[in-house]
Amino acid sequence: MRLTGLASRLSFRPAHLTAVGMLLATTSAAAQQAAKPIRLDVHESTQLAFDLSLDDRTLAFDLLGQIWTMPFDGGDAHALTDAVRDTAEDLEPVFSPDGKWIAFQSDRPGGYGIWLIPSTGGTPRLLAETNSDRVWPAWSPDGTRIVFLSGNPPALAIVTVADGAVRHISVTGPPTPSYREPIWSRDGRQILFVNAQRFTALGGTLWRVADSGGTASRAFGPELRMNAPALSPDGRIAFFVRDSLGVHQLWVADSLGGAARRITNYDDTTPLRARWTKDGRSVIYHADGQLWRVPISGGSAHRIALHATLSIPHVSWRPPRLHFQIPGRPVQARGHRGLALSPDGRQIAMIALDSLWVFAPGTPPRAITGVPETAEDLAWSPDARRIAWSAGRERDLFVTDLANRVTHRLTALAGDEYRPAWSPDGRFISFLHGPAGWREQRVRVVPAEAAKPIISVDSTLDVGADPFGRYLSSDNLGQEALQWSPDSRSVMLLDAATSKLVRGTLDGRRDTLANAVRNAAFMNLIADTAIVFIREDQLWSARFHRDSGIVGEPRRLSDDPAIYPSVARNGTVLYISNDGLRLRLPNGDVQRLGWPLTYRTVAAPPLLLRNVSVFDPVVGRISTSRDILLRDGRIQRVAASGSIGLQRGVRLLDAAGRIAVPGLVDLHQHLWDDVQPAGLLYNGVTTARDLGSAIARTAAVREAIDAGVRPGPRIVFSGFQIHTTAIPEYSRSGQFTQALLGEAAVTRALDIAVGFGADYLKLYQFGRWADAVQSIELAHARGLRVTGHVAHPLPFVAAGVDAKEHVGRAGGYHRLDSFVYDDVVQLFRQAHIDVIPTITVFASAARLYDDSTILKAPEAQPYLSPYLRFFAANFPSPTRNLATRRGWQRTADIMRAATRRLHTGGVRLGVGTDAPALAWGVHWELEELVASGFTPAEALRAATSDAADILGTDDIGRITKGKLADLLLLDADPLRDIRNTRRIWRVVKAGRVYDPARPVEGSKD
């Protein structure tokens, strides 16, 4: 087994910058930032919420996250708020009954909640804070109160405008309470609300309750699931209902509960607001990117012309170019798939580079044994003589004896066994068991000295009658380990889903300790007296009692960035910081161990490709026959076929006239499963950008690939997915997601990510725009590009966010969950925001639903993740839900339409799948781009040269001199049929040749 060689990270590492200036300040020569204005002239709007003043004179709306007003009949709009200046996104405006005030939802530094601004302009003021995802404010008819949503899950609340006093309303009645879109009855004595799931687009049933609270009753029959109800002056009601194609349409009923009739028929209707004119004869709504007024008695709708001009500053920065590691150079290994300090604190064990390593602090690591590429989850025996770990497609437990380096299998149960933990007396090993893989986990115990592999659950102890928690094996929060009591009679687990300490005994009893650990991850128990854990990427400790749980307030052990802690019996703590491994001794001293393990990247032997036609994505054409000489993993020369002589030591590969295209890039992957890397490579993906998986594990996979230990694509990765939050109880630091509160926490997370070799920052969801903007600045100061689920809010654009992940409903943000229009297209084009559509993430679900035999094809078998194996085994089945399939298809259709709009509007798009279970997903995404209006040549460009530009590298993307030797040799012309990209004869990555016909062996020609 190769013990050296591989590059955990790309060779470029920008200087660490310590000062981050204000939004428009030039931070440093490395970032090279400068102010640049963006000017928009808008006549179309995406997902607009609006309101009409009661005198029918003025419309207010929330174009691009600012509050605007304009005459009711249309015309030039005037901005009342400034999103960039205030670092805000202002939404959902509503006029007071007298027209003097506008209430709106906003996330700004002064607080998230309901804000007020004079309708003629002025300074906004905060009226009421809330932590609900959506606020939906609505004025009472007398203008003294506003009803809104507060809390999470959201509940009804009323704020008095005069003094800001908030009163929460207790409601009973709805069988599954989940409230949204409250409005007032005309007499101001009742509140009507929709009861629907929080993030569904389906709508819900309409209920009403007294403004003082109490038992709610249905206000409309259950047959219509509605959105955005609006009452007319005479008691009629307008609302939106989805049609058979999944498109919202406007409906009107003459009374609550009366017969309803459909009014509109659009391809895209925004179900956020409907408003009646004061005479009750017409309804205003937003559809197909425009505001409309339609008479309910019949007749054509009238378009209300909107015109808005907008100029905002824009930070244009010049990030360092991304360069990949030069073969043969030594590199520090930063990733691991298991890291543990021995119980006596004298040794460290680590799984990396597909080997098990053990070393004393300050000494070079020694390889104990090679392990399968799936190996992870280390646990020391109490006497520090043996180590347990898990591995396998269906995970089993193994034990390695350090003295003789012999490994034996401990378990072979159906399903997955992982997270082993040794009892203090050495007699037992506990573990999590997933009988159905990812679907359920139970805590079980087996004898540590089993003579042969345990194959039946009857030979185990089931600790607790129920599973300890949902998704305990998930990498979402932390690699939570099972903790034994000192007397070896019970096992305890921090349930990451609830932050509760759950305990089970060997006789099957189960309880939850009263005093839990808030916002904790990576919990470690020290002799039943203390716990050590991670909170906001710092080490914390708390006193612990076996019966009551946490005693007193936790205390922070240090200000250092920290993740992946492991503890010894004496309280010594091993953890990873931004500069590598560290040991915190019981007296508080810290030893810096750095990154003890090194390797070398592998170099490919010279190769001459003869008689090959070359596709150039920049010009969009295929050349005549060429020879290509590859040396040291790069393209040394491209010339006419037969003109490059075969030199000694150079291997010849005759392509026999096949077509070469550059290696494909998947810009949106999550490397959850060990079958993925090889599957991606053999399907032509030579570079993949991972946008958030378990950080140390992803780094370890990248290093194993670069070292030549296993086949896989070149990996660019973001380390974490970062959320920002304004709510302390939501903050959490794990190995996949980081929900962070404030600049210091974001700084620590970025320091750790850069330490592991991250090349990107992915922003996922947000609870405070100002903190998210600051995250962009902090990432740019470190030379990291920033991409996110949300990229259109103007503060983000002004700060220079680089890219947007997903279009349509896959984006996870309600304002861009449908079609996009020219306001967003202009914004992205002028700000040079790249977009990765990821249509495949929904289109593939519909495709597999229709034909699950795809998963039974021989070429698919080697690359089926546990999830896909479950999918293949259970579909078709009686549980098939046609409505779900229609939803997937409708979402894919919306994503195609949005992709077409962005493409024709001049926005650069790249290929990404967000389909980690599909090794061949990039080919399906190419098909989706062609279905969205791309030519095959344009689609290939999005997966090659444009993808390289989005990554910021000159090393890949074309088959020209000096580039890395990444290419696919195809048996058929992809410009004639984009599906021909799947007809791969050979894959070449950095000069090494892979044969897709022999993927199981991982063969390299």
Side-chain angles (χ1 to χ4, degrees):
M1 136 147 267
R2 219 183 331 260
L3 300 181
T4 60
L6 155 190
S8 136
R9 64 181 311 276
L10 305 181
S11 60
F12 121 84
R13 178 178 293 278
H16 189 119
L17 303 178
T18 57
V20 178
M22 299 300 290
L23 183 62
L24 301 180
T26 300
T27 60
S28 72
Q32 298 183 46
Q33 298 186 355
K36 176 185 177 182
I38 292 174
R39 294 182 174 87
L40 306 180
D41 191 56
V42 175
H43 295 272
E44 286 185 341
S45 49
T46 300
Q47 290 280 290
L48 208 64
F50 66 93
D51 195 22
L52 175 64
S53 62
L54 290 187
D55 60 8
D56 277 5
R57 298 180 61 184
T58 309
L59 283 164
F61 52 88
D62 56 7
L63 177 72
L64 291 174
Q66 295 187 159
I67 305 301
W68 305 68
T69 59
M70 76 174 187
F72 170 51
D73 290 331
D76 293 332
H78 169 69
L80 293 187
T81 64
D82 188 323
V84 175
R85 178 197 64 203
D86 298 335
T87 320
E89 187 181 45
D90 304 329
L91 303 171
E92 311 276 351
V94 283
F95 278 105
S96 62
D98 61 9
K100 294 181 179 180
W101 294 92
I102 294 175
F104 60 95
Q105 167 187 325
S106 185
D107 182 352
R108 45 181 62 215
Y112 173 66
I114 300 174
W115 289 71
L116 291 179
I117 190 171
S119 58
T120 55
T123 301
R125 69 178 177 89
L126 179 64
L127 177 63
E129 287 194 84
T130 177
N131 59 352
S132 179
D133 300 288
R134 301 279 297 279
V135 177
W136 276 300
W139 290 83
S140 63
D142 61 7
T144 63
R145 296 171 294 167
I146 295 175
V147 64
F148 66 102
L149 295 186
S150 179
N152 208 345
L156 298 176
I158 294 176
V159 58
T160 304
V161 177
D163 59 9
V166 174
R167 175 173 57 88
H168 291 83
I169 303 174
S170 176
V171 180
T172 60
T176 307
S178 181
Y179 309 142
R180 55 197 274 180
E181 302 169 305
I183 60 174
W184 293 84
S185 63
R186 287 302 170 189
D187 60 8
R189 299 171 61 183
Q190 290 186 321
I191 295 168
L192 289 79
F193 61 90
V194 174
N195 189 57
Q197 296 178 18
R198 289 170 60 195
F199 301 114
T200 182
L202 296 176
T205 52
L206 188 65
W207 294 71
R208 57 183 160 194
V209 68
D211 64 344
S212 58
T215 301
S217 60
R218 289 191 186 275
F220 214 97
E223 67 277 1
L224 287 178
R225 297 173 63 87
M226 66 175 64
N227 283 294
L231 292 175
S232 72
D234 58 2
R236 286 173 291 178
I237 183 171
F239 48 87
F240 297 95
V241 176
R242 296 216 310 178
D243 63 21
S244 60
L245 298 178
V247 183
H248 287 95
Q249 304 295 348
L250 180 67
W251 288 58
V252 170
D254 289 335
S255 63
L256 285 176
R261 64 187 186 278
R262 175 171 160 173
I263 301 296
T264 65
N265 184 26
Y266 289 92
D267 292 330
D268 175 41
T269 305
T270 303
L272 296 177
R273 288 284 174 84
R275 288 294 184 261
W276 293 84
T277 55
K278 65 180 181 180
D279 60 11
R281 295 180 179 179
S282 300
V283 178
I284 318 298
Y285 56 95
H286 185 258
D288 289 352
Q290 304 287 344
L291 286 165
W292 302 87
R293 182 176 76 243
V294 63
I296 63 168
S297 60
S300 299
H302 167 73
R303 184 173 69 90
I304 303 173
L306 178 154
H307 177 230
T309 58
L310 177 65
S311 179
I312 64 171
H314 177 231
V315 171
S316 179
W317 76 299
R318 298 178 183 176
R321 302 301 287 175
L322 203 58
H323 295 293
F324 296 104
Q325 201 59 256
I326 298 174
R329 291 189 178 179
V331 182
Q332 291 176 321
R334 300 162 190 270
H336 70 79
R337 296 174 61 100
L339 179 69
L341 183 64
S342 63
D344 57 14
R346 296 179 180 180
Q347 298 183 87
I348 297 169
M350 179 169 59
I351 294 177
L353 303 176
D354 291 356
S355 291
L356 171 63
W357 307 79
V358 173
F359 59 99
T363 64
R366 67 184 191 279
I368 300 300
T369 183
V371 295
E373 63 182 25
T374 55
E376 56 188 353
D377 297 339
L378 289 178
W380 285 88
S381 64
D383 59 9
R385 294 180 179 180
R386 290 169 293 172
I387 294 175
W389 43 276
S390 67
R393 291 286 291 271
E394 286 195 355
R395 294 194 176 281
D396 298 312
L397 298 185
F398 298 81
V399 174
T400 297
D401 188 300
L402 298 183
N404 59 24
R405 304 191 180 193
V406 172
T407 297
H408 74 274
R409 184 191 301 265
L410 182 65
T411 65
L413 301 177
D416 297 333
E417 300 100 74
Y418 43 88
R419 304 282 198 272
W422 225 297
S423 64
D425 62 9
R427 297 174 57 202
F428 301 105
I429 292 178
S430 63
F431 58 95
L432 289 174
H433 178 220
W438 55 276
R439 300 186 66 204
E440 179 186 279
Q441 297 83 38
R442 304 182 74 86
V443 179
R444 297 189 182 276
V445 174
V446 294
E449 302 293 341
K452 56 183 179 179
I454 296 171
I455 61 174
S456 170
V457 294
D458 294 336
S459 302
T460 71
L461 294 174
D462 192 349
V463 182
D466 301 310
F468 265 35
R470 296 179 304 116
Y471 308 118
L472 294 177
S473 64
S474 170
D475 288 318
N476 256 9
L477 298 173
Q479 193 166 347
E480 308 302 345
L482 296 167
Q483 309 288 322
W484 281 88
S485 62
D487 60 9
S488 298
R489 293 182 179 178
S490 64
V491 181
M492 186 173 65
L493 179 72
L494 174 64
D495 183 346
T498 63
S499 292
K500 298 295 186 182
L501 291 168
V502 185
R503 179 174 56 191
T505 63
L506 295 188
D507 58 6
R509 289 176 293 133
R510 178 178 180 269
D511 63 351
T512 301
L513 301 187
N515 299 323
V517 187
R518 182 178 62 84
N519 302 343
F522 302 100
M523 187 190 74
N524 287 258
L525 179 66
I526 306 176
D528 236 8
T529 60
I531 64 167
V532 171
F533 60 93
I534 296 293
R535 178 184 289 170
E536 294 188 338
D537 292 313
Q538 290 178 308
L539 277 177
W540 288 72
S541 178
R543 293 168 54 212
F544 179 80
H545 188 274
R546 69 174 62 186
D547 295 322
S548 58
I550 303 302
V551 178
E553 288 296 318
R555 65 185 181 93
R556 188 173 63 243
L557 296 181
S558 73
D559 294 329
D560 297 339
I563 195 170
Y564 293 110
S566 176
V567 300
R569 283 190 294 259
N570 66 357
T572 299
V573 182
L574 170 71
Y575 63 97
I576 294 180
S577 191
N578 58 303
D579 59 355
L581 277 61
R582 296 187 186 184
L583 278 178
R584 186 182 189 276
L585 304 179
N587 63 6
D589 291 344
V590 174
Q591 295 180 3
R592 298 172 184 253
L593 306 180
W595 305 103
L597 186 62
T598 61
Y599 60 90
R600 292 181 183 273
T601 55
V602 293
L607 177 70
L608 177 61
L609 286 176
R610 182 157 283 171
N611 191 18
V612 59
S613 298
V614 176
F615 170 70
D616 187 338
V618 174
V619 300
R621 293 193 301 269
I622 297 174
S623 73
T624 56
S625 187
R626 294 284 189 270
D627 286 351
I628 306 174
L629 180 62
L630 314 178
R631 285 187 183 274
D632 297 323
R634 291 188 179 266
I635 299 170
Q636 187 179 75
R637 187 181 173 194
V638 180
S641 185
S643 64
I644 302 178
L646 182 62
Q647 300 176 4
R648 185 175 181 178
V650 177
R651 182 190 163 199
L652 176 66
L653 181 61
D654 191 338
R658 291 179 173 87
I659 297 171
V661 301
L664 304 178
V665 180
D666 189 338
L667 290 169
H668 195 120
Q669 263 294 332
H670 298 281
L671 296 174
W672 296 118
D673 192 88
D674 288 295
V675 303
Q676 291 173 247
L680 289 169
L681 180 64
Y682 285 113
N683 278 276
V685 175
T686 54
T687 301
R689 185 178 64 168
D690 180 278
L691 287 179
S693 304
I695 185 169
R697 186 180 185 278
T698 307
V701 170
R702 174 160 76 170
E703 291 162 358
I705 291 170
D706 289 350
V709 173
R710 66 170 75 177
R714 187 178 299 103
I715 296 175
V716 177
F717 85 125
S718 68
F720 301 120
Q721 296 193 44
I722 287 185
H723 306 231
T724 56
T725 178
I727 306 168
E729 57 265 31
Y730 292 170
S731 65
R732 177 109 41 188
S733 300
Q735 57 180 344
F736 163 43
T737 56
Q738 296 264 314
L740 302 172
L741 182 68
E743 176 185 357
V746 173
T747 297
R748 287 190 295 271
L750 287 174
D751 285 345
I752 291 173
V754 170
F756 273 108
D759 314 295
Y760 256 81
L761 170 64
K762 180 183 179 182
L763 291 173
Y764 184 53
Q765 294 176 344
F766 316 101
R768 190 180 290 274
W769 296 112
D771 287 351
V773 167
Q774 193 169 61
S775 299
I776 296 173
E777 297 173 339
L778 291 166
H780 281 176
R782 288 159 173 77
L784 303 180
R785 288 170 174 80
V786 180
T787 189
H789 275 205
V790 181
H792 71 282
L794 298 184
F796 275 30
V797 176
V801 68
D802 300 282
K804 164 83 168 72
E805 302 303 313
H806 314 298
V807 296
R809 291 176 186 158
Y813 183 72
H814 72 279
R815 281 309 176 104
L816 289 184
D817 68 357
S818 190
F819 298 87
V820 296
Y821 293 92
D822 195 49
D823 54 345
V824 172
V825 174
Q826 282 191 59
L827 189 68
F828 284 3
R829 182 179 65 245
Q830 291 196 39
H832 304 292
I833 294 174
D834 302 312
V835 178
I836 318 302
T838 69
I839 307 170
T840 297
V841 71
F842 279 90
S844 64
R847 196 164 175 171
L848 291 174
Y849 188 99
D850 292 339
D851 184 9
S852 62
T853 62
I854 293 171
L855 303 180
K856 296 177 172 61
E859 61 269 21
Q861 290 302 303
Y863 310 125
L864 296 188
S865 68
Y867 170 77
L868 275 187
R869 290 188 183 280
F870 171 82
F871 192 96
N874 287 274
F875 286 92
S877 77
T879 62
R880 295 182 69 172
N881 188 323
L882 188 57
T884 299
R885 189 252 179 252
R886 287 173 178 163
W888 290 332
Q889 188 61 56
R890 171 63 181 166
T891 299
D893 291 342
I894 289 172
M895 297 174 78
R896 291 187 197 101
T899 299
R900 182 180 296 109
R901 262 297 185 109
L902 293 166
H903 177 54
T904 58
V907 177
R908 183 167 64 187
L909 292 92
V911 166
T913 62
D914 196 26
L918 297 179
W920 56 90
V922 69
H923 301 283
W924 283 6
E925 185 71 8
L926 288 170
E927 293 178 35
E928 293 296 341
L929 292 187
V930 171
S932 302
F934 284 61
T935 66
E938 289 172 334
L940 279 169
R941 177 170 178 164
T944 54
S945 60
D946 279 356
D949 288 340
I950 292 171
L951 288 176
T953 180
D954 302 313
D955 287 346
I956 60 174
R958 297 180 72 185
I959 303 174
T960 58
K961 180 180 178 180
K963 302 285 187 184
L964 284 168
D966 292 357
L967 50 94
L968 314 184
L969 297 173
L970 304 178
D971 284 325
D973 185 354
L975 302 189
R976 292 182 179 273
D977 187 339
I978 195 63
R979 292 173 296 181
N980 287 335
T981 59
R982 293 195 68 178
R983 297 184 61 181
I984 301 172
W985 180 61
R986 294 290 187 273
V987 177
V988 182
K989 177 201 159 195
R992 298 179 71 85
V993 182
Y994 298 83
D995 182 358
R998 294 188 290 157
V1000 176
E1001 296 86 350
S1003 62
K1004 308 176 189 66
D1005 287 350

